[in-house]
Amino acid sequence: MKKILILCIAFFAVLVTLVNIPNVSAAKPHYVITTDATYPPFDFQDKNNQYTGIDQEILKTIAKRQGFTYTLKPMSFNSATQSVSSGQADGVIAGMSITDERKEVFDFGTPYYRSGIGWAVKKGSDVKSLKDLKGKTVALKTGTSGADYALSVQKKYGFKVTYFNDSDTLYNDVINGNTQATFGDLPVIQYAVKNGTQLKVMNAKSPIEAGWYGFGVKKGDNAKLLTAFNKGFADIKADGTYDKIVAKYLGSSAATFTGNKKDNSSVLGILKSNDQAFLKGLWQTVLLTVLAIVLASIWGVFLGIMGISQVAGIRALSTTIIYIFRGLPLMVLAFFIYIGLPSVIGMKIPAFIAGLVTLILNEGAYTGAFVRGGFEAVEHGQMEAARSLGLPYGKSMRKVIMPQGLKIMIPSFVNQFIITLKDTSILSAIGILELTQTGTLIVSRNSQGFRVWAIVAAIYLIVITLLTWLSNWVEKRTRA
């Protein structure tokens, strides 16, 4: 068991080292920048699956002129801002409105875009004014200025609110009639409508409460990055580059970035035009699943052995660990490790490592519970017979109890493998670009939620079917 633990520690050390090796020149400052890549026309993936938009082109141009490099980490808006405030990332550019509350947490660069709030309803809706929202439900995106404004007038107009983390799900909720309206940044809603979203903007010519977007860093940190951004922004503003970037995304047809109708109007077209993105997402999902299955199984078996120890303290420790990590929701655990823990230990944790550790702790706890149950299911007489033959307790466990117990557990292992594969989708919340996050990015660009999620669901089913066949084959071989 000691050798297994040493190997696990060595594996993690190598993995952390590999993940943290920057593929950049040592002569240039390198930063980690977060964004919400589901916020077109400011932040999204284009038809070539490259991150683009007003924010991204501003950042790319400034970085080139100011001589720094960066790694972009796309995730939900709230996760992006929390990553910066916890020190996991150096800066955030995500169409973030500058507010007094945010100034308490972030230092902002020169405001780079003045926006206003718009509100929209489903085409053909009987809602004609804000007064018509009384008693109805409004869909809001968390962390946006649109959400802040809606809450400020909620009592006045008497509507209820519900929240979403991505724009496409929010828009479809309104289109499907579950909610009756939405508030958001006017250019974002207008871009969605231009891209085919079946909404009607109610105040296209009169934005509400215009405010400024800003590039943010953690308050008191990364002054060098903020200075570089401000200098670079002043340059692109002075020479007209900024105006060209804004005009490029607000003045062009959405098809310029989303691709032609043939690429987006059928499942086959979406699959062909995004095949590399789907493959990369699938690879990340499979890699996470395989590593988590192997390491969680080792950890789970270890916990199971501890659970039947002759020492009461060791049994209690096993029970406590299993209770804690089975009781914590997977997403809460992921946020704790990726966003909460770095502020305590004072070092960054790569998203992949945080996601992998999350799966190991959670899935390992479930594995430990059924491993302990499997060992306890072996007849007590087996242990007594082994001991009566002169075998010590440890050897009796290894030679007699464990082989029988592991055979009993095989169906449970198969189920846990499948659960682990599905649980990887939750890790998209901390910015891991696995299959689910890949689907989210594609949908934010082409607004083809039904077709994209049908493709993602089919891929998951195929992989789960193959994994089930493999597990059943292993089970038969083991029982033979």
Side-chain angles (χ1 to χ4, degrees):
M1 187 56 66
K2 287 183 179 180
K3 290 182 179 179
I4 292 175
L5 289 175
I6 292 171
L7 287 173
C8 290
I9 293 170
F11 172 80
F12 271 111
V14 172
L15 197 56
V16 170
T17 302
L18 290 174
V19 170
N20 280 301
I21 294 175
N23 188 24
V24 296
S25 170
K28 293 184 177 182
H30 186 77
Y31 303 102
V32 176
I33 309 296
T34 60
T35 188
D36 174 3
T38 63
Y39 207 55
F42 293 93
D43 306 279
F44 63 105
Q45 275 192 342
D46 64 14
K47 58 189 176 185
N48 298 315
N49 302 116
Q50 300 297 312
Y51 295 109
T52 190
I54 295 173
D55 287 354
Q56 298 310 315
E57 197 148 341
I58 288 174
L59 179 62
K60 187 186 301 182
T61 305
I62 290 175
K64 186 175 181 180
R65 294 191 183 187
Q66 292 296 310
F68 66 84
T69 59
Y70 62 92
T71 298
L72 191 69
K73 293 290 185 183
M75 56 185 70
S76 70
F77 179 80
N78 283 341
S79 298
T81 54
Q82 289 176 49
S83 293
V84 176
S85 61
S86 67
Q88 279 284 70
D90 302 301
V92 54
I93 185 165
M96 180 165 65
S97 298
I98 300 173
T99 64
D100 291 337
E101 292 81 5
R102 286 174 180 155
K103 286 180 181 178
E104 297 293 322
V105 181
F106 300 98
D107 288 327
F108 286 99
T110 305
Y112 65 85
Y113 188 87
R114 186 169 175 81
S115 179
I117 297 165
W119 69 287
V121 298
K122 176 184 178 181
K123 285 187 176 180
S125 171
D126 57 0
V127 174
K128 305 301 180 185
S129 69
L130 292 176
K131 292 180 181 179
D132 295 334
L133 293 175
K134 185 174 182 179
K136 295 180 170 61
T137 304
V138 169
L140 304 175
K141 185 173 181 179
T142 55
T144 62
S145 56
D148 293 339
Y149 173 76
L151 292 177
S152 72
V153 298
Q154 181 183 9
K155 188 175 181 180
K156 177 180 178 181
Y157 293 108
F159 55 78
K160 296 173 284 187
V161 299
T162 187
Y163 293 95
F164 296 89
N165 282 325
D166 68 276
S167 300
D168 184 74
T169 306
L170 179 151
Y171 295 149
N172 279 303
D173 199 67
V174 178
I175 292 168
N176 292 334
N178 298 320
T179 49
Q180 284 67 51
T182 183
F183 289 82
D185 288 357
L186 185 57
V188 176
I189 297 177
Q190 289 175 322
Y191 185 91
V193 172
K194 186 186 291 186
N195 196 31
T197 302
Q198 297 300 302
L199 294 176
K200 180 183 177 181
V201 181
M202 303 300 287
N203 62 326
K205 296 182 180 180
S206 54
I208 307 166
E209 290 194 356
W212 286 95
Y213 290 166
F215 172 75
V217 300
K218 184 179 180 181
K219 196 170 186 66
D221 286 355
N222 283 307
K224 187 176 179 181
L225 171 59
L226 202 60
T227 300
F229 179 88
N230 289 341
K231 287 181 178 179
F233 182 74
D235 289 344
I236 65 172
K237 187 73 173 176
D239 65 15
T241 302
Y242 169 82
D243 293 328
K244 292 178 182 178
I245 291 173
V246 173
K248 174 182 176 181
Y249 290 93
L250 295 186
S252 302
S253 167
T256 303
F257 309 105
T258 62
N260 58 47
K261 187 175 181 180
K262 183 180 178 182
D263 291 337
N264 295 302
S265 61
S266 69
V267 170
L268 184 59
I270 293 172
L271 193 56
K272 287 178 66 177
S273 60
N274 297 280
D275 56 349
Q276 292 303 310
F278 282 123
L279 286 173
K280 288 180 181 178
L282 176 60
W283 165 246
Q284 193 82 328
T285 294
V286 171
L287 181 62
L288 270 171
T289 302
V290 171
L291 291 175
I293 284 173
V294 173
L295 297 176
S297 295
I298 294 172
W299 175 235
V301 170
F302 182 67
L303 285 175
I305 293 173
M306 289 174 60
I308 58 170
S309 170
Q310 291 181 303
V311 181
I314 295 177
R315 292 199 306 272
L317 179 60
S318 172
T319 300
T320 302
I321 292 172
I322 290 172
Y323 174 78
I324 291 173
F325 291 109
R326 283 176 67 184
L328 285 174
L330 194 67
M331 186 176 291
V332 172
L333 183 58
F335 279 134
F336 173 77
I337 294 173
Y338 183 66
I339 294 175
L341 198 56
S343 60
V344 176
I345 63 177
M347 62 178 290
K348 295 179 181 179
I349 301 175
F352 186 89
I353 297 298
L356 183 59
V357 171
T358 299
L359 289 174
I360 291 170
L361 292 176
N362 183 265
E363 311 299 341
Y366 282 96
T367 302
F370 69 68
V371 165
R372 181 180 61 193
F375 290 154
E376 290 175 344
V378 178
E379 292 183 6
H380 293 294
Q382 297 287 324
M383 173 62 78
E384 294 173 358
R387 297 302 299 276
S388 67
L389 293 174
L391 293 176
Y393 178 83
K395 199 166 186 177
S396 298
M397 283 295 301
R398 292 196 305 274
K399 298 291 186 180
V400 179
I401 304 302
M402 289 182 67
Q404 296 181 69
L406 289 172
K407 285 186 177 182
I408 295 172
M409 301 169 212
I410 287 175
S412 297
F413 271 112
V414 172
N415 290 333
Q416 199 60 42
F417 293 168
I418 294 171
I419 290 170
T420 302
L421 173 64
K422 292 189 290 186
D423 281 349
T424 58
S425 63
I426 297 175
L427 301 180
S428 61
I430 60 172
I432 296 179
L433 194 55
E434 41 65 72
L435 192 55
T436 299
Q437 178 74 338
T438 298
T440 299
L441 294 174
I442 295 172
V443 170
S444 71
R445 178 181 74 245
N446 64 17
S447 300
Q448 297 294 320
F450 177 79
R451 294 184 176 95
V452 173
W453 293 122
I455 293 170
V456 172
I459 294 173
Y460 271 116
L461 285 174
I462 291 169
V463 176
I464 287 172
T465 300
L466 293 174
L467 182 59
T468 302
W469 287 349
L470 176 62
S471 301
N472 290 339
W473 178 80
V474 171
E475 182 181 356
K476 289 178 182 178
R477 297 277 295 182
T478 305
R479 291 185 180 279

